[in-house]
Amino acid sequence: MDGKLFLGVADNNQYAVAVVGDSVGRIVATSVGGSVNHQYHGISQARKNLRVLLTRALGYFNPGCLEGACFTYKWDPVASDQEMACVIQGVLSAKEIRVENFVRSCTLGMNTDKDRMLLVGGQTNLVVFENNGGVRFQMREDPTASDLRRRLVEKLEIEANLNGHQELHELLELHQNGDLIGALDELARSGNPLALELIHEIAHDLVSLVIKMTKHFQSYDPVIGLYGQVLFGSRLVYERVSYLIEILFPQAQVKEATLAPAKGAYLSTLVNRKPYCEPEVISNSSLTWGNLEQRGWLYANGEQVAERNDQQIF
């Protein structure tokens, strides 16, 4: 180890996840914070959020401590390498700044010698698949299908006279988009039939994306990672999706992939370094964030910070 550190950041316009690692593929710190998408929030706010993200990850702020940094955005393309150099001015002084394709980051962050898939539940549902030969496929759902507020309104209009209507209407009025899925999950757990019905519909839409991607499977024992605010914001959605995938593909390994895109961004800072690390070191650089609902996934602007971890995930 040469003491050099590298940063990977994955962003979805609402929050950003950061992974910091060394030059041989070992991850040393992680954090979560507000979005660093300057096109969505402006350069000033993006810089502020990036500074907080780094301070949380490293415990201090030293713009000169990073050798390289890579950013990946769920909404491609967000910025060129040159644009990011403007965003990080005064925050980072890394020698190399790059922007990586989100799909590539997802698969790079899932180290396995099997076919791999990442199912993303969020503002737009997305499934990314890469076989062990390196051929990559992706499929995005129509954004209107994953618009939770719109789906709630439609449910209220269709089921106007059914039990649970008033509670669902109050939920829609009281909660912002960012915390709707958590509130809906809580309402469903309390026994509201309309909320439970909608939770199951959301889960089935996500599983449908997996089914559509099966035409590219080379085997039926892929590693399938679950990622995104909808999946981690609702335990019911996560459990339902996991259950259905395990029934459909009993040989598949279903895992939470909390850090996959950010980890992939970090690893892409090492790919072009000669030598950067041994392949087996990268394979062992995995870690677990546990249940992200409890560790800050829904609190992008706030208090909870991911710390160092010692269990395994992608």
Side-chain angles (χ1 to χ4, degrees), residues 169-234:
H169 185 271
E170 291 173 359
L171 180 147
L172 192 60
E173 289 188 333
L174 292 174
H175 294 274
Q176 300 298 317
N177 290 343
D179 61 354
L180 265 180
I181 188 63
L184 183 65
D185 183 86
E186 184 177 348
L187 187 58
R189 288 182 178 279
S190 73
N192 184 289
L194 295 181
L196 186 59
E197 182 180 48
L198 186 52
I199 285 285
H200 281 194
E201 289 173 1
I202 292 168
H204 291 177
D205 287 348
L206 288 165
V207 173
S208 293
L209 281 177
V210 175
I211 294 172
K212 290 175 183 177
M213 195 59 77
T214 56
K215 62 184 178 182
H216 301 299
F217 281 14
Q218 294 183 327
S219 65
Y220 285 92
D221 63 342
V223 176
I224 300 176
L226 305 183
Y227 173 88
Q229 187 176 17
V230 169
L231 282 158
F232 292 130
S234 168

Short mmCIF file of all heavy atoms in Angstrom, two decimals, residues 169-234:
data_model
loop_
_atom_site.label_atom_id
_atom_site.label_comp_id
_atom_site.label_asym_id
_atom_site.label_seq_id
_atom_site.Cartn_x
_atom_site.Cartn_y
_atom_site.Cartn_z
N HIS A 169 -55.19 8.89 1.54
CA HIS A 169 -55.31 10.30 1.14
C HIS A 169 -54.50 11.19 2.08
O HIS A 169 -53.80 12.12 1.65
CB HIS A 169 -56.78 10.71 1.12
CG HIS A 169 -57.01 12.09 0.61
ND1 HIS A 169 -57.01 13.21 1.44
CD2 HIS A 169 -57.23 12.56 -0.65
CE1 HIS A 169 -57.22 14.28 0.71
NE2 HIS A 169 -57.36 13.92 -0.55
N GLU A 170 -54.58 10.92 3.37
CA GLU A 170 -53.82 11.70 4.35
C GLU A 170 -52.31 11.52 4.15
O GLU A 170 -51.53 12.46 4.28
CB GLU A 170 -54.22 11.29 5.76
CG GLU A 170 -55.63 11.70 6.14
CD GLU A 170 -56.06 11.14 7.48
OE1 GLU A 170 -55.26 10.40 8.11
OE2 GLU A 170 -57.20 11.43 7.92
N LEU A 171 -51.89 10.30 3.85
CA LEU A 171 -50.47 10.03 3.60
C LEU A 171 -49.97 10.88 2.43
O LEU A 171 -48.88 11.45 2.48
CB LEU A 171 -50.29 8.54 3.29
CG LEU A 171 -48.88 8.04 3.00
CD1 LEU A 171 -48.71 6.61 3.52
CD2 LEU A 171 -48.58 8.04 1.49
N LEU A 172 -50.76 10.96 1.38
CA LEU A 172 -50.37 11.71 0.20
C LEU A 172 -50.21 13.20 0.51
O LEU A 172 -49.32 13.87 -0.02
CB LEU A 172 -51.41 11.51 -0.90
CG LEU A 172 -51.07 11.99 -2.31
CD1 LEU A 172 -49.83 11.29 -2.83
CD2 LEU A 172 -52.24 11.74 -3.25
N GLU A 173 -51.05 13.72 1.38
CA GLU A 173 -51.01 15.14 1.73
C GLU A 173 -49.87 15.48 2.70
O GLU A 173 -49.30 16.57 2.65
CB GLU A 173 -52.34 15.57 2.34
CG GLU A 173 -53.50 15.61 1.35
CD GLU A 173 -54.74 16.23 1.97
OE1 GLU A 173 -54.89 16.15 3.21
OE2 GLU A 173 -55.56 16.79 1.22
N LEU A 174 -49.53 14.54 3.57
CA LEU A 174 -48.58 14.82 4.64
C LEU A 174 -47.12 14.59 4.28
O LEU A 174 -46.23 15.14 4.92
CB LEU A 174 -48.94 13.97 5.88
CG LEU A 174 -50.24 14.32 6.59
CD1 LEU A 174 -50.52 13.30 7.69
CD2 LEU A 174 -50.19 15.73 7.17
N HIS A 175 -46.86 13.78 3.27
CA HIS A 175 -45.49 13.37 3.00
C HIS A 175 -44.99 13.86 1.64
O HIS A 175 -45.72 13.89 0.66
CB HIS A 175 -45.37 11.84 3.06
CG HIS A 175 -45.62 11.29 4.44
ND1 HIS A 175 -44.64 11.21 5.40
CD2 HIS A 175 -46.76 10.83 5.03
CE1 HIS A 175 -45.14 10.70 6.50
NE2 HIS A 175 -46.43 10.47 6.32
N GLN A 176 -43.70 14.22 1.63
CA GLN A 176 -43.03 14.63 0.41
C GLN A 176 -42.61 13.38 -0.36
O GLN A 176 -42.64 12.26 0.14
CB GLN A 176 -41.81 15.49 0.73
CG GLN A 176 -42.13 16.76 1.49
CD GLN A 176 -43.04 17.69 0.70
OE1 GLN A 176 -42.85 17.90 -0.50
NE2 GLN A 176 -44.05 18.25 1.37
N ASN A 177 -42.16 13.58 -1.62
CA ASN A 177 -41.79 12.45 -2.46
C ASN A 177 -40.72 11.57 -1.83
O ASN A 177 -40.75 10.35 -1.93
CB ASN A 177 -41.31 12.94 -3.83
CG ASN A 177 -42.46 13.52 -4.65
OD1 ASN A 177 -43.62 13.27 -4.35
ND2 ASN A 177 -42.14 14.27 -5.67
N GLY A 178 -39.75 12.20 -1.17
CA GLY A 178 -38.60 11.46 -0.64
C GLY A 178 -38.95 10.45 0.43
O GLY A 178 -38.27 9.44 0.58
N ASP A 179 -40.00 10.71 1.21
CA ASP A 179 -40.34 9.79 2.30
C ASP A 179 -41.68 9.08 2.07
O ASP A 179 -42.21 8.43 2.96
CB ASP A 179 -40.36 10.52 3.64
CG ASP A 179 -41.38 11.64 3.70
OD1 ASP A 179 -42.01 11.92 2.68
OD2 ASP A 179 -41.53 12.24 4.79
N LEU A 180 -42.21 9.15 0.85
CA LEU A 180 -43.49 8.50 0.56
C LEU A 180 -43.39 6.99 0.70
O LEU A 180 -44.29 6.36 1.26
CB LEU A 180 -43.94 8.85 -0.86
CG LEU A 180 -44.91 10.02 -1.04
CD1 LEU A 180 -45.24 10.20 -2.52
CD2 LEU A 180 -46.18 9.81 -0.24
N ILE A 181 -42.32 6.39 0.19
CA ILE A 181 -42.24 4.93 0.20
C ILE A 181 -42.17 4.39 1.63
O ILE A 181 -42.79 3.37 1.94
CB ILE A 181 -41.04 4.44 -0.65
CG1 ILE A 181 -41.08 2.91 -0.80
CG2 ILE A 181 -39.73 4.90 -0.07
CD1 ILE A 181 -42.29 2.38 -1.54
N GLY A 182 -41.44 5.08 2.51
CA GLY A 182 -41.36 4.64 3.90
C GLY A 182 -42.70 4.77 4.60
O GLY A 182 -43.11 3.88 5.37
N ALA A 183 -43.41 5.87 4.33
CA ALA A 183 -44.73 6.06 4.94
C ALA A 183 -45.73 5.04 4.40
O ALA A 183 -46.58 4.53 5.14
CB ALA A 183 -45.22 7.48 4.65
N LEU A 184 -45.64 4.74 3.11
CA LEU A 184 -46.54 3.75 2.52
C LEU A 184 -46.27 2.36 3.12
O LEU A 184 -47.21 1.61 3.41
CB LEU A 184 -46.34 3.71 1.00
CG LEU A 184 -47.24 2.76 0.22
CD1 LEU A 184 -48.71 3.20 0.32
CD2 LEU A 184 -46.82 2.70 -1.25
N ASP A 185 -45.00 2.03 3.32
CA ASP A 185 -44.64 0.76 3.93
C ASP A 185 -45.22 0.64 5.34
O ASP A 185 -45.80 -0.39 5.71
CB ASP A 185 -43.11 0.64 3.98
CG ASP A 185 -42.65 -0.69 4.53
OD1 ASP A 185 -42.54 -1.66 3.76
OD2 ASP A 185 -42.39 -0.77 5.75
N GLU A 186 -45.10 1.72 6.10
CA GLU A 186 -45.62 1.71 7.46
C GLU A 186 -47.14 1.55 7.47
O GLU A 186 -47.69 0.81 8.30
CB GLU A 186 -45.22 3.01 8.16
CG GLU A 186 -45.63 3.09 9.61
CD GLU A 186 -45.15 4.37 10.28
OE1 GLU A 186 -44.31 5.08 9.69
OE2 GLU A 186 -45.63 4.65 11.40
N LEU A 187 -47.81 2.23 6.54
CA LEU A 187 -49.26 2.12 6.47
C LEU A 187 -49.69 0.71 6.08
O LEU A 187 -50.66 0.17 6.62
CB LEU A 187 -49.80 3.14 5.46
CG LEU A 187 -51.32 3.30 5.36
CD1 LEU A 187 -51.92 3.69 6.69
CD2 LEU A 187 -51.68 4.33 4.28
N ALA A 188 -48.96 0.11 5.14
CA ALA A 188 -49.27 -1.26 4.73
C ALA A 188 -49.10 -2.23 5.89
O ALA A 188 -49.91 -3.15 6.09
CB ALA A 188 -48.39 -1.67 3.56
N ARG A 189 -48.08 -2.01 6.70
CA ARG A 189 -47.82 -2.89 7.84
C ARG A 189 -48.90 -2.74 8.93
O ARG A 189 -49.11 -3.66 9.73
CB ARG A 189 -46.44 -2.60 8.43
CG ARG A 189 -45.32 -3.09 7.56
CD ARG A 189 -43.95 -2.86 8.18
NE ARG A 189 -42.93 -3.39 7.30
CZ ARG A 189 -42.59 -4.67 7.24
NH1 ARG A 189 -43.19 -5.55 8.02
NH2 ARG A 189 -41.66 -5.09 6.41
N SER A 190 -49.54 -1.59 8.93
CA SER A 190 -50.61 -1.39 9.92
C SER A 190 -51.91 -2.07 9.52
O SER A 190 -52.87 -2.10 10.28
CB SER A 190 -50.85 0.12 10.12
OG SER A 190 -51.52 0.67 9.00
N GLY A 191 -51.94 -2.60 8.26
CA GLY A 191 -53.11 -3.34 7.81
C GLY A 191 -53.96 -2.64 6.77
O GLY A 191 -55.02 -3.15 6.40
N ASN A 192 -53.52 -1.48 6.27
CA ASN A 192 -54.29 -0.78 5.25
C ASN A 192 -54.28 -1.58 3.95
O ASN A 192 -53.21 -1.80 3.37
CB ASN A 192 -53.71 0.62 5.02
CG ASN A 192 -54.53 1.44 4.04
OD1 ASN A 192 -54.55 1.17 2.86
ND2 ASN A 192 -55.21 2.45 4.57
N PRO A 193 -55.43 -2.03 3.46
CA PRO A 193 -55.45 -2.92 2.28
C PRO A 193 -55.00 -2.24 0.99
O PRO A 193 -54.37 -2.87 0.14
CB PRO A 193 -56.91 -3.37 2.20
CG PRO A 193 -57.68 -2.29 2.91
CD PRO A 193 -56.78 -1.79 4.00
N LEU A 194 -55.31 -0.95 0.83
CA LEU A 194 -54.91 -0.25 -0.39
C LEU A 194 -53.40 -0.05 -0.43
O LEU A 194 -52.77 -0.19 -1.49
CB LEU A 194 -55.63 1.10 -0.49
CG LEU A 194 -57.15 1.05 -0.65
CD1 LEU A 194 -57.72 2.46 -0.76
CD2 LEU A 194 -57.53 0.22 -1.87
N ALA A 195 -52.81 0.28 0.72
CA ALA A 195 -51.36 0.45 0.79
C ALA A 195 -50.65 -0.87 0.50
O ALA A 195 -49.66 -0.91 -0.23
CB ALA A 195 -50.96 0.99 2.15
N LEU A 196 -51.17 -1.94 1.08
CA LEU A 196 -50.57 -3.25 0.86
C LEU A 196 -50.69 -3.68 -0.60
O LEU A 196 -49.74 -4.24 -1.19
CB LEU A 196 -51.24 -4.29 1.76
CG LEU A 196 -50.63 -5.69 1.75
CD1 LEU A 196 -49.17 -5.66 2.19
CD2 LEU A 196 -51.43 -6.62 2.65
N GLU A 197 -51.82 -3.38 -1.21
CA GLU A 197 -52.01 -3.70 -2.62
C GLU A 197 -50.99 -2.95 -3.48
O GLU A 197 -50.39 -3.53 -4.41
CB GLU A 197 -53.43 -3.34 -3.04
CG GLU A 197 -53.76 -3.66 -4.49
CD GLU A 197 -55.18 -3.29 -4.85
OE1 GLU A 197 -55.61 -2.15 -4.52
OE2 GLU A 197 -55.87 -4.12 -5.45
N LEU A 198 -50.79 -1.68 -3.19
CA LEU A 198 -49.85 -0.88 -3.97
C LEU A 198 -48.41 -1.35 -3.76
O LEU A 198 -47.61 -1.40 -4.70
CB LEU A 198 -49.98 0.60 -3.58
CG LEU A 198 -49.16 1.61 -4.40
CD1 LEU A 198 -49.39 1.42 -5.89
CD2 LEU A 198 -49.50 3.03 -3.98
N ILE A 199 -48.05 -1.72 -2.53
CA ILE A 199 -46.72 -2.26 -2.25
C ILE A 199 -46.46 -3.49 -3.10
O ILE A 199 -45.38 -3.65 -3.71
CB ILE A 199 -46.58 -2.60 -0.75
CG1 ILE A 199 -46.42 -1.33 0.09
CG2 ILE A 199 -45.41 -3.55 -0.51
CD1 ILE A 199 -45.07 -0.67 0.00
N HIS A 200 -47.45 -4.37 -3.18
CA HIS A 200 -47.29 -5.59 -3.98
C HIS A 200 -47.20 -5.27 -5.47
O HIS A 200 -46.44 -5.92 -6.20
CB HIS A 200 -48.44 -6.54 -3.70
CG HIS A 200 -48.28 -7.30 -2.42
ND1 HIS A 200 -49.02 -8.40 -2.10
CD2 HIS A 200 -47.43 -7.12 -1.38
CE1 HIS A 200 -48.65 -8.87 -0.92
NE2 HIS A 200 -47.70 -8.09 -0.46
N GLU A 201 -47.93 -4.28 -5.94
CA GLU A 201 -47.85 -3.89 -7.35
C GLU A 201 -46.46 -3.36 -7.68
O GLU A 201 -45.90 -3.67 -8.74
CB GLU A 201 -48.91 -2.83 -7.65
CG GLU A 201 -50.33 -3.36 -7.64
CD GLU A 201 -51.37 -2.25 -7.77
OE1 GLU A 201 -50.96 -1.06 -7.89
OE2 GLU A 201 -52.57 -2.55 -7.76
N ILE A 202 -45.89 -2.55 -6.79
CA ILE A 202 -44.54 -2.01 -7.00
C ILE A 202 -43.52 -3.16 -7.06
O ILE A 202 -42.65 -3.19 -7.93
CB ILE A 202 -44.18 -1.03 -5.87
CG1 ILE A 202 -45.04 0.23 -5.97
CG2 ILE A 202 -42.70 -0.66 -5.92
CD1 ILE A 202 -44.97 1.12 -4.74
N ALA A 203 -43.64 -4.10 -6.13
CA ALA A 203 -42.72 -5.24 -6.11
C ALA A 203 -42.84 -6.07 -7.38
O ALA A 203 -41.83 -6.47 -7.98
CB ALA A 203 -43.00 -6.10 -4.89
N HIS A 204 -44.05 -6.29 -7.84
CA HIS A 204 -44.25 -7.11 -9.04
C HIS A 204 -43.71 -6.40 -10.28
O HIS A 204 -43.19 -7.06 -11.20
CB HIS A 204 -45.73 -7.44 -9.21
CG HIS A 204 -46.24 -8.37 -8.16
ND1 HIS A 204 -47.56 -8.77 -8.08
CD2 HIS A 204 -45.62 -9.01 -7.13
CE1 HIS A 204 -47.73 -9.59 -7.08
NE2 HIS A 204 -46.56 -9.74 -6.48
N ASP A 205 -43.80 -5.08 -10.34
CA ASP A 205 -43.22 -4.34 -11.47
C ASP A 205 -41.71 -4.53 -11.52
O ASP A 205 -41.11 -4.68 -12.60
CB ASP A 205 -43.54 -2.85 -11.34
CG ASP A 205 -44.99 -2.54 -11.66
OD1 ASP A 205 -45.69 -3.43 -12.19
OD2 ASP A 205 -45.43 -1.40 -11.36
N LEU A 206 -41.06 -4.51 -10.35
CA LEU A 206 -39.61 -4.71 -10.30
C LEU A 206 -39.24 -6.13 -10.73
O LEU A 206 -38.29 -6.32 -11.50
CB LEU A 206 -39.10 -4.42 -8.89
CG LEU A 206 -39.09 -2.95 -8.48
CD1 LEU A 206 -38.91 -2.80 -6.97
CD2 LEU A 206 -37.98 -2.20 -9.22
N VAL A 207 -39.99 -7.11 -10.26
CA VAL A 207 -39.69 -8.49 -10.64
C VAL A 207 -39.93 -8.70 -12.14
O VAL A 207 -39.21 -9.47 -12.79
CB VAL A 207 -40.55 -9.47 -9.81
CG1 VAL A 207 -40.38 -10.90 -10.29
CG2 VAL A 207 -40.16 -9.37 -8.34
N SER A 208 -40.88 -7.99 -12.70
CA SER A 208 -41.14 -8.10 -14.15
C SER A 208 -39.93 -7.68 -14.97
O SER A 208 -39.66 -8.26 -16.03
CB SER A 208 -42.35 -7.24 -14.54
OG SER A 208 -43.54 -7.75 -13.97
N LEU A 209 -39.20 -6.69 -14.48
CA LEU A 209 -37.97 -6.28 -15.17
C LEU A 209 -36.95 -7.40 -15.17
O LEU A 209 -36.26 -7.64 -16.16
CB LEU A 209 -37.38 -5.03 -14.50
CG LEU A 209 -38.01 -3.69 -14.84
CD1 LEU A 209 -37.34 -2.58 -14.03
CD2 LEU A 209 -37.87 -3.37 -16.33
N VAL A 210 -36.84 -8.10 -14.04
CA VAL A 210 -35.91 -9.24 -13.96
C VAL A 210 -36.32 -10.32 -14.95
O VAL A 210 -35.48 -10.87 -15.68
CB VAL A 210 -35.88 -9.81 -12.53
CG1 VAL A 210 -35.01 -11.07 -12.47
CG2 VAL A 210 -35.36 -8.77 -11.55
N ILE A 211 -37.61 -10.61 -15.01
CA ILE A 211 -38.11 -11.65 -15.92
C ILE A 211 -37.80 -11.29 -17.38
O ILE A 211 -37.39 -12.14 -18.17
CB ILE A 211 -39.62 -11.86 -15.72
CG1 ILE A 211 -39.88 -12.44 -14.33
CG2 ILE A 211 -40.20 -12.76 -16.79
CD1 ILE A 211 -41.35 -12.50 -13.94
N LYS A 212 -37.99 -10.02 -17.74
CA LYS A 212 -37.73 -9.60 -19.12
C LYS A 212 -36.25 -9.75 -19.49
O LYS A 212 -35.92 -9.93 -20.66
CB LYS A 212 -38.16 -8.14 -19.30
CG LYS A 212 -39.66 -7.94 -19.26
CD LYS A 212 -40.02 -6.46 -19.31
CE LYS A 212 -41.52 -6.26 -19.20
NZ LYS A 212 -41.90 -4.81 -19.17
N MET A 213 -35.38 -9.67 -18.49
CA MET A 213 -33.95 -9.76 -18.76
C MET A 213 -33.47 -11.21 -18.85
O MET A 213 -32.34 -11.47 -19.26
CB MET A 213 -33.18 -9.02 -17.65
CG MET A 213 -31.73 -8.73 -17.97
SD MET A 213 -31.47 -7.74 -19.46
CE MET A 213 -31.90 -6.09 -18.85
N THR A 214 -34.32 -12.17 -18.50
CA THR A 214 -33.88 -13.57 -18.48
C THR A 214 -33.51 -14.09 -19.86
O THR A 214 -32.78 -15.08 -19.98
CB THR A 214 -34.96 -14.49 -17.89
OG1 THR A 214 -36.18 -14.33 -18.63
CG2 THR A 214 -35.22 -14.14 -16.44
N LYS A 215 -33.97 -13.46 -20.91
CA LYS A 215 -33.62 -13.91 -22.26
C LYS A 215 -32.12 -13.80 -22.52
O LYS A 215 -31.60 -14.44 -23.45
CB LYS A 215 -34.39 -13.11 -23.31
CG LYS A 215 -34.09 -11.61 -23.32
CD LYS A 215 -34.98 -10.89 -24.33
CE LYS A 215 -34.73 -9.38 -24.32
NZ LYS A 215 -35.61 -8.67 -25.26
N HIS A 216 -31.42 -13.03 -21.69
CA HIS A 216 -29.98 -12.88 -21.85
C HIS A 216 -29.19 -13.80 -20.92
O HIS A 216 -27.97 -13.83 -20.97
CB HIS A 216 -29.57 -11.43 -21.59
CG HIS A 216 -30.22 -10.44 -22.51
ND1 HIS A 216 -30.04 -10.46 -23.87
CD2 HIS A 216 -31.07 -9.40 -22.25
CE1 HIS A 216 -30.75 -9.48 -24.42
NE2 HIS A 216 -31.38 -8.83 -23.47
N PHE A 217 -29.89 -14.53 -20.04
CA PHE A 217 -29.18 -15.40 -19.10
C PHE A 217 -28.43 -16.50 -19.84
O PHE A 217 -28.94 -17.10 -20.79
CB PHE A 217 -30.19 -16.07 -18.14
CG PHE A 217 -30.66 -15.20 -17.02
CD1 PHE A 217 -30.45 -13.83 -17.03
CD2 PHE A 217 -31.34 -15.75 -15.94
CE1 PHE A 217 -30.91 -13.03 -16.00
CE2 PHE A 217 -31.81 -14.96 -14.90
CZ PHE A 217 -31.59 -13.59 -14.93
N GLN A 218 -27.22 -16.77 -19.41
CA GLN A 218 -26.47 -17.93 -19.90
C GLN A 218 -26.61 -19.10 -18.94
O GLN A 218 -26.34 -20.24 -19.29
CB GLN A 218 -25.00 -17.56 -20.07
CG GLN A 218 -24.76 -16.53 -21.17
CD GLN A 218 -23.29 -16.23 -21.37
OE1 GLN A 218 -22.50 -16.25 -20.42
NE2 GLN A 218 -22.90 -15.95 -22.60
N SER A 219 -27.02 -18.81 -17.73
CA SER A 219 -27.29 -19.84 -16.73
C SER A 219 -28.35 -19.29 -15.79
O SER A 219 -28.65 -18.09 -15.82
CB SER A 219 -26.02 -20.19 -15.94
OG SER A 219 -25.58 -19.07 -15.19
N TYR A 220 -28.91 -20.15 -14.95
CA TYR A 220 -29.97 -19.71 -14.06
C TYR A 220 -29.50 -19.62 -12.61
O TYR A 220 -30.29 -19.74 -11.68
CB TYR A 220 -31.19 -20.62 -14.20
CG TYR A 220 -31.94 -20.33 -15.47
CD1 TYR A 220 -31.65 -21.03 -16.63
CD2 TYR A 220 -32.89 -19.32 -15.53
CE1 TYR A 220 -32.31 -20.74 -17.83
CE2 TYR A 220 -33.55 -19.02 -16.71
CZ TYR A 220 -33.26 -19.72 -17.86
OH TYR A 220 -33.90 -19.43 -19.04
N ASP A 221 -28.20 -19.35 -12.43
CA ASP A 221 -27.68 -19.13 -11.09
C ASP A 221 -26.93 -17.80 -11.00
O ASP A 221 -25.83 -17.73 -10.46
CB ASP A 221 -26.77 -20.29 -10.66
CG ASP A 221 -25.53 -20.39 -11.55
OD1 ASP A 221 -25.53 -19.82 -12.66
OD2 ASP A 221 -24.55 -21.05 -11.12
N PRO A 222 -27.52 -16.71 -11.53
CA PRO A 222 -26.83 -15.42 -11.47
C PRO A 222 -26.82 -14.87 -10.05
O PRO A 222 -27.56 -15.30 -9.18
CB PRO A 222 -27.67 -14.54 -12.39
CG PRO A 222 -29.06 -15.07 -12.23
CD PRO A 222 -28.88 -16.57 -12.12
N VAL A 223 -25.95 -13.88 -9.86
CA VAL A 223 -25.98 -13.09 -8.63
C VAL A 223 -26.84 -11.86 -8.92
O VAL A 223 -26.57 -11.13 -9.87
CB VAL A 223 -24.56 -12.67 -8.20
CG1 VAL A 223 -24.62 -11.77 -6.98
CG2 VAL A 223 -23.71 -13.89 -7.92
N ILE A 224 -27.88 -11.65 -8.13
CA ILE A 224 -28.81 -10.55 -8.36
C ILE A 224 -28.74 -9.60 -7.16
O ILE A 224 -29.06 -9.97 -6.03
CB ILE A 224 -30.25 -11.07 -8.55
CG1 ILE A 224 -30.31 -12.02 -9.75
CG2 ILE A 224 -31.21 -9.90 -8.75
CD1 ILE A 224 -31.67 -12.66 -9.97
N GLY A 225 -28.32 -8.38 -7.43
CA GLY A 225 -28.23 -7.37 -6.38
C GLY A 225 -29.43 -6.46 -6.39
O GLY A 225 -29.95 -6.09 -7.45
N LEU A 226 -29.90 -6.09 -5.20
CA LEU A 226 -31.04 -5.18 -5.05
C LEU A 226 -30.53 -3.84 -4.53
O LEU A 226 -29.75 -3.79 -3.58
CB LEU A 226 -32.07 -5.77 -4.10
CG LEU A 226 -32.59 -7.17 -4.45
CD1 LEU A 226 -33.66 -7.61 -3.46
CD2 LEU A 226 -33.12 -7.22 -5.87
N TYR A 227 -31.00 -2.77 -5.15
CA TYR A 227 -30.44 -1.44 -4.88
C TYR A 227 -31.52 -0.39 -5.12
O TYR A 227 -32.41 -0.56 -5.96
CB TYR A 227 -29.26 -1.21 -5.83
CG TYR A 227 -28.65 0.17 -5.80
CD1 TYR A 227 -27.65 0.49 -4.90
CD2 TYR A 227 -29.07 1.16 -6.69
CE1 TYR A 227 -27.07 1.76 -4.88
CE2 TYR A 227 -28.51 2.42 -6.69
CZ TYR A 227 -27.51 2.72 -5.78
OH TYR A 227 -26.95 3.96 -5.76
N GLY A 228 -31.47 0.70 -4.40
CA GLY A 228 -32.35 1.83 -4.69
C GLY A 228 -33.26 2.19 -3.53
O GLY A 228 -33.54 1.39 -2.64
N GLN A 229 -33.75 3.41 -3.57
CA GLN A 229 -34.53 3.96 -2.47
C GLN A 229 -35.83 3.21 -2.25
O GLN A 229 -36.28 3.04 -1.11
CB GLN A 229 -34.82 5.44 -2.72
CG GLN A 229 -35.49 6.14 -1.55
CD GLN A 229 -35.68 7.61 -1.79
OE1 GLN A 229 -35.61 8.07 -2.92
NE2 GLN A 229 -35.92 8.37 -0.73
N VAL A 230 -36.48 2.75 -3.31
CA VAL A 230 -37.74 2.03 -3.15
C VAL A 230 -37.51 0.69 -2.46
O VAL A 230 -38.26 0.30 -1.56
CB VAL A 230 -38.43 1.84 -4.51
CG1 VAL A 230 -39.59 0.86 -4.41
CG2 VAL A 230 -38.92 3.18 -5.05
N LEU A 231 -36.45 -0.01 -2.86
CA LEU A 231 -36.17 -1.32 -2.27
C LEU A 231 -35.69 -1.20 -0.83
O LEU A 231 -36.06 -2.01 0.02
CB LEU A 231 -35.14 -2.06 -3.12
CG LEU A 231 -35.71 -2.69 -4.39
CD1 LEU A 231 -34.63 -2.94 -5.42
CD2 LEU A 231 -36.43 -3.98 -4.05
N PHE A 232 -34.85 -0.20 -0.54
CA PHE A 232 -34.35 -0.06 0.82
C PHE A 232 -35.26 0.79 1.69
O PHE A 232 -35.15 0.75 2.92
CB PHE A 232 -32.94 0.53 0.81
CG PHE A 232 -31.92 -0.41 0.24
CD1 PHE A 232 -31.05 0.03 -0.75
CD2 PHE A 232 -31.83 -1.71 0.66
CE1 PHE A 232 -30.11 -0.83 -1.29
CE2 PHE A 232 -30.90 -2.58 0.12
CZ PHE A 232 -30.02 -2.14 -0.85
N GLY A 233 -36.15 1.56 1.07
CA GLY A 233 -37.07 2.38 1.84
C GLY A 233 -38.30 1.62 2.32
O GLY A 233 -38.96 2.04 3.26
N SER A 234 -38.59 0.50 1.66
CA SER A 234 -39.74 -0.31 2.05
C SER A 234 -39.29 -1.74 2.28
O SER A 234 -38.92 -2.44 1.33
CB SER A 234 -40.83 -0.28 0.97
OG SER A 234 -41.82 -1.27 1.22
#
